[in-house]
Amino acid sequence: MKEKLTKVLPETLEVIEDPETAPKKRATYTRIVEGITTTLKTIEDPKTPPKEQATYTRIVEGITTTLKTIEDPKTPPKEQATYTRILEGITYTLENIQNPPLPQGNPPQEKRAHHTRAMELATTTPVTVHAPNLPPAERATYMRIVETITYTVNKIQTLPQEERASFARVAELTTAALVAVQAPKTRPKDPEDQLAIEKTVKETGNTLAATQEPKASQKERNEAKKKLDQRTRSLQNSQFLELMKEVKRHKAPAACIKEIKSRTLQTGWSDGSLWGLGDSLCAATVAEGARQDSGRWSALFECVQRHPFSTCVVHIPKD
């Protein structure tokens, strides 16, 4: 891993330091390098359990491989952008798993020092880090998802170009869901909903990995791919379309509609759709739907308004 890092990181740092690099790209690359730096500290901390050290090592190796693909001029720009967004999500999760969070808004001289430490950590000594604040079960879930996504993205990069797009798209959506389920503004407010969405994201990650698992049978890989195809077509699901008609009938604001569509793409029908519907952006729409006692969807709206949205699936009209 250290040998790979010493080859890839200098190229990444050159992009960061290049005055012609777009500010957004520079910020993204800086955050990724900082994520690698912090994770290397965790790996080399003697207090980190051996099993976690091994997991973090595999994650960093995966990040490094993907960075190399991003920086390869032969990689199509669209793929570079997709892989970059995936690494952003992975880095965000690593920040949450490891405490304290990565520094933000560093002045240039501090950024340069941070980059230097990344190179040093690729070849030298352990550094003590603080214990994470996340509950053990939640940390374990996020670590497993990140490892799965990283593994799969690396496998995807070896596929023929015509096969990569669909798998990369699911990986990107799954990473986006992983970020959303953690971020304070988007994570489900109810612990029951939080666990339900985490479970869905984990299952999607495992399904994605199954499509690239060499030990899986062709039948198993085909079944996994079929599940992923259904996920990417979630916005065409007939029940989802009926829900959207009902939401629009109650004059839902554009932000609410966007939220429902976004969560549906990320975690599917019906988990993602109810997650979006339960967002504060849709509160007025849900309240209006719940008031209409005679409506086919009123029971669902009332449930989402009063209870964890993950318990409301039973109220989705069957016909």
Side-chain angles (χ1 to χ4, degrees):
M1 179 183 71
K2 290 180 179 179
E3 182 181 351
K4 190 181 293 185
L5 277 171
T6 55
K7 289 181 179 179
V8 175
L9 281 180
E11 296 177 11
T12 307
L13 297 178
E14 284 180 13
V15 174
I16 293 172
E17 297 298 325
D18 187 345
E20 294 186 4
T21 299
K24 185 177 180 180
K25 185 176 182 179
R26 181 181 294 108
T28 297
Y29 273 39
T30 299
R31 198 64 175 268
I32 292 171
V33 169
E34 290 174 346
I36 292 173
T37 303
T38 300
T39 307
L40 286 170
K41 291 179 183 179
T42 302
I43 292 170
E44 303 205 4
D45 182 359
K47 295 180 182 179
T48 302
K51 188 175 180 181
E52 288 191 12
Q53 287 177 329
T55 299
Y56 283 129
T57 298
R58 288 190 292 270
I59 290 171
V60 171
E61 287 176 340
I63 292 173
T64 305
T65 299
T66 302
L67 264 178
K68 187 175 181 180
T69 300
I70 292 171
E71 293 167 3
D72 186 345
K74 294 180 182 178
T75 303
K78 190 174 180 179
E79 287 188 27
Q80 289 177 330
T82 296
Y83 292 142
T84 300
R85 286 191 292 269
I86 290 171
L87 288 191
E88 284 184 276
I90 289 172
T91 300
Y92 179 91
T93 303
L94 287 174
E95 292 174 12
N96 279 355
I97 293 173
Q98 302 167 90
N99 185 53
L102 298 177
Q104 299 184 43
N106 295 337
Q109 62 271 25
E110 290 187 18
K111 287 185 178 180
R112 185 60 195 173
H114 216 71
H115 303 161
T116 302
R117 289 197 295 275
M119 292 302 299
E120 290 173 347
L121 284 164
T123 54
T124 57
T125 56
V127 182
T128 300
V129 294
H130 298 286
N133 285 329
L134 285 177
E138 196 168 350
R139 284 189 65 241
T141 296
Y142 292 158
M143 285 181 71
R144 173 59 182 161
I145 295 171
V146 167
E147 183 181 9
T148 301
I149 292 173
T150 307
Y151 164 84
T152 308
V153 169
N154 286 179
K155 290 286 186 181
I156 290 170
Q157 293 166 43
T158 65
L159 297 175
Q161 186 172 352
E162 62 273 12
E163 295 180 33
R164 290 198 297 265
S166 61
F167 291 122
R169 176 61 172 157
V170 175
E172 182 183 357
L173 290 171
T174 305
T175 307
L178 179 60
V179 170
V181 80
Q182 300 171 76
K185 290 184 179 180
T186 54
R187 67 181 294 158
K189 302 299 184 288
D190 191 285
E192 189 171 348
D193 291 334
Q194 177 78 13
L195 288 173
I197 296 299
E198 285 176 358
K199 181 181 177 182
T200 299
V201 175
K202 184 177 180 180
E203 288 174 350
T204 304
N206 290 339
T207 302
L208 186 59
T211 64
Q212 308 302 316
E213 176 54 58
K215 294 181 181 179
S217 67
Q218 188 60 49
K219 182 180 179 182
E220 289 172 328
R221 286 195 290 270
N222 289 342
E223 288 177 352
K225 188 175 185 303
K226 184 178 179 181
K227 288 182 181 179
L228 296 183
D229 288 342
Q230 290 175 342
R231 171 60 49 79
T232 56
R233 294 198 302 269
S234 293
L235 298 189
Q236 280 75 55
N237 179 284
S238 59
Q239 288 181 299
F240 168 78
L241 293 174
E242 286 297 318
L243 172 62
M244 293 311 294
K245 284 183 182 178
E246 189 69 10
V247 166
K248 291 176 181 177
R249 190 171 72 84
H250 295 301
K251 297 180 172 56
C256 169
I257 293 172
K258 182 180 179 181
E259 184 73 10
I260 296 173
K261 287 183 176 180
S262 176
R263 302 294 170 237
T264 302
L265 272 175
Q266 291 170 1
T267 48
W269 169 265
S270 58
D271 294 342
S273 304
L274 296 183
W275 181 12
L277 188 64
D279 190 274
S280 59
L281 293 168
C282 297
T285 304
V286 169
E288 179 62 27
R291 276 196 291 270
Q292 299 192 4
D293 296 336
S294 60
R296 292 173 62 248
W297 293 85
S298 59
L300 174 68
F301 286 121
E302 185 175 351
C303 180
V304 170
Q305 186 180 43
R306 299 183 178 184
H307 305 286
F309 63 74
S310 56
T311 66
C312 299
V313 178
V314 294
H315 295 292
I316 295 174
K318 295 292 187 290
D319 49 342

